[in-house]
């Protein structure tokens, strides 16, 4: 042709590809495979140029491997659950399911019009009930093996959307979706015990040397954040115990620098620490102090880490475990509630963060470590290893030796212990919203918290709900929560929390490996996983 006519040529070839299933992977397991995986889109209504760029790259790779004779799996699906569908339902006065699936239909046509070589047979949406069935089945297996648990704690809460927010979803103290100022709320949440795998995750990063960028591996190692140190308790002084009504006697701290313990001049607590909460609940703190603490609590931990160091003395004190000196207790915005118990021993002479805080508030700075071969500069924090001085029986020891001996002393005297800590935290997966996978657990007054029987899966969402943005529609539904306990046969109620959408997107790539003919029988077939995994690109 002298002229390229896209409407004619592209439609002709797209019809040919569709009629001949040109992009479906072969069942011939003797062929060498390539699994080319593009991230699946959220069905927001329209694809944009970011989608086009990403999918064209994957498509070029997939087509090239097919040309070279490989058996290529190049799938697409829809990451379909989540808060945006509920927001759209409120705005457009429609049901989240209708909004989601109509968007999928439209976006599927858009992707098809681009001529992308995705497998059509293996397409699915994570909101499909059959996908929900197997996700709930996986959840039950993990719950029965102790890999999922429930605990009470304080969480970022959006009073407008009425749901828990991850730290990443709090921007400058406000909800990322509706810009409402967040609060802290005490409630039960479900967690996946990923910390059980922290050591394995860390050691397996060594297998990626030369395959992943070094900076990405470093980021992963820092995210997991393994550290070895001393865990011990600071006991409160007599007056402080009285102020707290005798409810709290001590608090735990963790340090990787036991050699600096003689340089402790204050302790700092996270704004969420139980001592802080107890002081607030007993109405002991003045209004200015309470207001300052509440402002810290409303700020996400990520945002706090980027703010200027700030804090306030709480009017309670601890006793140093070795010197028996009184140590003031502060609340500080740089102390994280989810690391080391949310409390630190602060050593401003040997920690830059503690040094900055101490200088700001006029707290004593006590040097107890000096360089081996240089003069000690007392106008700055000396953060390296060195030689201990003014450190009691550990005087003159090198830092590395002193750390071990101090830990040994604490263990011998039953004052503390050597522990391994990780920054990595267990994953909170429950959300208080409608448009998500219902958590397949049942509350029974007799049997407690138990999983649903697998033959009753999926626990599907009720369609007859009204999304108003006020409360969880599953909680408000007149009948959905009512059920029979599978263990004792008595009256019980379903868990109304749904799963974080990242649960759906953490196993979809395995689902693609099996053909739709097997999807009713299992989440995925073992032999399919063994052939297609791992993802090649």
């Amino acid at each position: 042709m002298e002229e390229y006519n896209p409407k004619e040529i592209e439609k002709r070839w797209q019809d040919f590809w569709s009629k001949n299933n040109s992009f479906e992977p072969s069942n011939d397991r003797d062929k060498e495979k390539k699994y080319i995986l593009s991230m699946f889109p959220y069905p927001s209504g329209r694809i944009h140029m970011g989608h086009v760029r990403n999918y064209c790259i994957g498509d070029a790779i997939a087509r090239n491997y097919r040309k070279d004779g490989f058996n290529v799996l190049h799938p697409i699906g829809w990451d379909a659950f989540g808060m945006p569908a509920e927001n759209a339902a409120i705005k457009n006065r429609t049901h989240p399911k209708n909004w989601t699936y109509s968007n999928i239909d439209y976006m599927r046509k858009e992707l098809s019009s681009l001529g992308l070589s995705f497998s059509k047979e293996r397409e699915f949406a994570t909101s499909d009930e059959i996908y929900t069935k197997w996700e709930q089945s996986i959840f039950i297996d993990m719950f029965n093996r102790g890999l999922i648990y429930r605990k009470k704690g304080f969480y970022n809460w959006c009073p407008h959307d009425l749901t828990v927010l991850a730290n990443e979803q709090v921007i400058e103290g406000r909800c990322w979706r509706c810009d409402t100022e967040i609060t802290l709320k005490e409630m039960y949440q479900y967690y996946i015990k990923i910390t059980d795998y922290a050591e394995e995750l860390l050691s397996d990063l060594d297998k990626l040397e030369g395959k992943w960028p070094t900076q990405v591996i470093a980021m992963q190692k820092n995210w997991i954040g393994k550290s070895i140190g001393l865990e011990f308790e600071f006991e409160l002084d007599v007056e402080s115990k009285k102020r707290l009504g005798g409810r709290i006697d001590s608090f735990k701290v963790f340090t990787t620098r036991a050699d600096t313990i003689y340089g402790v001049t204050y302790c700092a607590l996270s704004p969420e620490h139980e001592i802080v909460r107890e002081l607030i609940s007993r109405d002991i703190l003045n209004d200015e102090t309470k207001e300052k603490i509440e402002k810290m609590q409303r700020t996400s931990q990520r945002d706090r880490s980027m703010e200027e160091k700030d804090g306030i003395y709480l009017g309670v004190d601890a006793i140093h475990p070795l010197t028996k000196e009184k140590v003031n207790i502060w609340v500080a915005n740089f102390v994280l509630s989810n690391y080391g118990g949310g409390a630190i021993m602060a050593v401003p002479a040997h920690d830059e963060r503690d040094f900055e805080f101490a200088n700001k508030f006029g707290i004593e700075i006590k040097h107890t470590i000096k360089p081996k071969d240089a003069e000690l500069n007392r106008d700055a924090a000396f953060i390296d290893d060195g030689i201990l001085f003014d450190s009691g029986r550990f005087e003159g020891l090198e830092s590395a030796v002193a750390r071990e001996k101090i830990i040994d002393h604490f263990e011998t005297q039953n004052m503390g212990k050597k522990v391994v800590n990780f920054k990595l935290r267990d994953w909170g997966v429950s959300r208080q919203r409608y448009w998500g996978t219902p958590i397949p657990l049942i509350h029974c007054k007799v049997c407690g918290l138990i999983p649903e029987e697998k033959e009753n899966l999926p626990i599907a969402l009720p369609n007859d709900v009204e999304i108003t943005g006020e409360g969880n529609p599953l909680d408000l539904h007149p009948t959905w929560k009512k059920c029979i306990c599978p263990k004792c046969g008595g009256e019980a109620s379903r868990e109304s929390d749904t799963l974080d959408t990242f649960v759906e997107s953490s196993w979809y790539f395995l689902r693609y490996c099996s053909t739709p003919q097997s999807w009713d029988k299992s989440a995925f077939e073992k032999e399919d996983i063994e052939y297609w995994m791992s993802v090649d690109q």
Side-chain angles (χ1 to χ4, degrees):
M1 292 181 64
E2 293 180 4
E3 184 179 288
Y4 180 73
N5 185 331
K7 288 186 177 179
E8 180 182 325
I9 293 177
E10 293 185 15
K11 185 179 186 308
R12 175 153 60 89
W13 280 105
Q14 287 167 12
D15 289 345
F16 175 88
W17 293 330
S18 179
K19 182 179 178 182
N20 291 277
N21 293 322
S22 300
F23 306 135
E24 302 305 327
S26 167
N27 291 324
D28 183 359
R29 298 298 166 86
D30 293 328
K31 290 183 70 175
E32 190 174 354
K33 68 90 184 180
K34 290 290 181 181
Y35 185 174
I36 312 303
L37 181 67
S38 297
M39 58 182 174
F40 58 175
Y42 183 80
S44 57
R46 300 292 184 270
I47 64 169
H48 52 69
M49 287 309 296
H51 291 119
V52 176
R53 177 183 183 273
N54 186 68
Y55 297 140
C56 284
I57 294 171
D59 192 64
I61 294 168
R63 287 177 179 274
N64 184 66
Y65 280 127
R66 285 196 202 95
K67 178 177 66 67
D68 289 343
F70 288 91
N71 189 14
V72 174
L73 174 59
H74 184 218
I76 192 68
W78 308 95
D79 191 9
F81 275 138
M83 183 76 79
E86 293 196 21
N87 291 341
I90 297 166
K91 182 179 179 181
N92 302 316
R93 297 188 177 182
T94 185
H95 195 285
K97 185 174 184 178
N98 298 336
W99 183 83
T100 298
Y101 282 93
S102 64
N103 286 346
I104 288 173
D105 289 340
Y106 191 94
M107 293 173 71
R108 184 188 294 114
K109 292 173 184 174
E110 288 184 304
L111 291 176
S112 179
S113 72
L114 289 168
L116 301 172
S117 63
F118 290 121
S119 164
K120 290 186 177 180
E121 288 183 357
R122 303 195 185 208
E123 178 193 322
F124 60 80
T126 57
S127 53
D128 294 343
E129 286 188 12
I130 191 64
Y131 193 85
T132 292
K133 173 182 177 178
W134 296 116
E135 183 161 295
Q136 290 173 338
S137 177
I138 293 168
F139 183 100
I140 288 170
D141 286 340
M142 295 176 73
F143 181 81
N144 287 337
R145 295 187 188 189
L147 292 173
I148 291 177
Y149 64 95
R150 184 176 185 246
K151 75 170 183 178
K152 207 170 191 180
F154 284 83
Y155 304 95
N156 301 321
W157 177 258
C158 175
H160 177 270
D161 291 336
L162 298 175
T163 188
V164 165
L165 300 175
N167 288 333
E168 292 77 13
Q169 296 170 323
V170 178
I171 310 299
E172 296 182 352
R174 295 181 175 274
C175 175
W176 67 323
R177 288 291 179 195
C178 64
D179 202 40
T180 301
E181 189 171 72
I182 65 149
T183 60
L184 283 183
K185 185 174 182 178
E186 188 175 27
M187 58 195 302
Y188 282 106
Q189 291 278 276
Y190 293 92
Y191 290 84
I192 294 179
K193 242 185 184 178
I194 57 174
T195 50
D196 276 12
Y197 300 89
E199 192 67 57
E200 183 181 344
L201 287 166
L202 187 63
S203 62
D204 279 1
L205 287 172
D206 294 338
K207 300 176 182 177
L208 297 173
E209 295 289 348
K211 299 176 182 177
W212 279 24
T214 54
Q215 67 270 28
V216 176
I217 294 175
M219 286 169 63
Q220 289 288 301
K221 287 182 176 178
N222 290 335
W223 182 259
I224 296 167
K226 181 179 180 179
S227 56
I228 300 171
L230 172 65
E231 183 182 86
F232 67 98
E233 290 190 356
F234 273 100
E235 186 174 354
L236 298 176
D237 71 354
V238 174
E239 286 303 313
S240 299
K241 289 179 183 178
K242 288 179 181 177
R243 293 199 77 192
L244 291 162
R247 292 171 59 87
I248 303 173
D249 294 328
S250 61
F251 60 93
K252 282 184 179 179
V253 298
F254 169 80
T255 178
T256 59
R257 292 294 305 271
D259 54 320
T260 68
I261 194 166
Y262 282 88
V264 172
T265 58
Y266 68 98
C267 287
L269 308 179
S270 73
E272 298 81 15
H273 195 277
E274 64 172 346
I275 289 177
V276 180
R277 288 189 276 116
E278 186 66 26
L279 288 169
I280 291 174
S281 69
R282 297 180 69 81
D283 206 23
I284 291 172
L285 304 177
N286 61 44
D287 290 342
E288 183 182 351
T289 300
K290 282 196 290 187
E291 187 177 329
K292 193 169 188 177
I293 292 170
E294 287 166 359
K295 183 176 183 295
M296 291 181 196
Q297 291 173 339
R298 289 194 300 269
T299 307
S300 74
Q301 294 189 14
R302 182 181 61 179
D303 289 341
R304 285 183 216 166
S305 67
M306 295 184 284
E307 290 181 341
E308 181 186 352
K309 304 295 178 288
D310 200 7
I312 195 163
Y313 173 51
L314 290 169
V316 289
D317 305 297
I319 303 298
H320 193 290
L322 298 179
T323 68
K324 305 304 178 184
E325 295 173 348
K326 187 178 287 190
V327 179
N328 292 162
I329 301 174
W330 291 64
V331 61
N333 63 349
F334 61 83
V335 183
L336 303 181
S337 61
N338 58 7
Y339 183 74
I344 65 163
M345 62 172 221
V347 188
H350 304 296
D351 183 281
E352 290 175 336
R353 176 195 59 190
D354 299 347
F355 183 83
E356 181 184 339
F357 190 89
N359 269 322
K360 179 174 181 177
F361 293 103
I363 301 171
E364 180 186 7
I365 298 173
K366 186 189 296 183
H367 285 83
T368 58
I369 300 175
K370 59 186 177 183
K372 290 181 184 179
D373 305 312
E375 289 293 317
L376 175 63
N377 177 12
R378 292 181 180 271
D379 294 327
F382 176 66
I383 62 173
D384 298 326
D385 282 4
I387 306 296
L388 272 67
F389 68 96
D390 289 347
S391 297
R393 70 176 70 190
F394 307 102
E395 185 98 9
L397 294 178
E398 293 187 5
S399 287
V401 176
R403 281 194 286 272
E404 293 300 322
K405 288 192 175 294
I406 291 171
I407 292 173
D408 285 345
H409 175 72
F410 270 78
E411 290 186 326
T412 302
Q413 300 299 315
N414 293 318
M415 296 163 55
K417 60 183 178 179
K418 185 176 186 177
V419 298
V420 176
N421 247 338
F422 292 93
K423 288 182 183 176
L424 185 71
R425 308 262 49 93
D426 285 339
W427 176 16
V429 294
S430 45
R431 299 292 181 265
Q432 296 67 45
R433 60 168 177 252
Y434 165 77
W435 191 236
T437 300
I439 290 177
L441 297 176
I442 289 171
H443 299 270
C444 175
K445 291 180 180 178
V446 177
C447 306
L449 184 66
I450 61 171
E452 178 61 273
E453 294 292 334
K454 286 192 175 183
E455 54 263 31
N456 295 332
L457 300 180
I459 300 169
L461 293 168
N463 289 321
D464 57 335
V465 295
E466 184 181 359
I467 312 296
T468 64
E470 296 182 5
N472 182 350
L474 297 180
D475 252 338
L476 304 173
H477 195 278
T479 60
W480 183 85
K481 283 183 68 175
K482 297 176 182 177
C483 65
I484 300 299
C485 174
K487 192 171 181 180
C488 71
E491 291 185 359
S493 62
R494 298 197 182 283
E495 174 57 62
S496 61
D497 280 5
T498 55
L499 290 172
D500 179 2
T501 56
F502 286 110
V503 177
E504 282 91 67
S505 57
S506 67
W507 70 279
Y508 73 102
F509 54 91
L510 298 172
R511 180 69 160 172
Y512 285 141
C513 292
S514 296
T515 62
Q517 288 73 28
S518 70
W519 286 355
D520 286 336
K521 297 182 295 182
S522 63
F524 37 78
E525 296 291 329
K526 184 179 179 183
E527 58 269 23
D528 296 329
I529 300 300
E530 289 173 346
Y531 175 70
W532 285 112
M533 292 297 292
S534 291
V535 173
D536 295 287
Q537 184 77 36

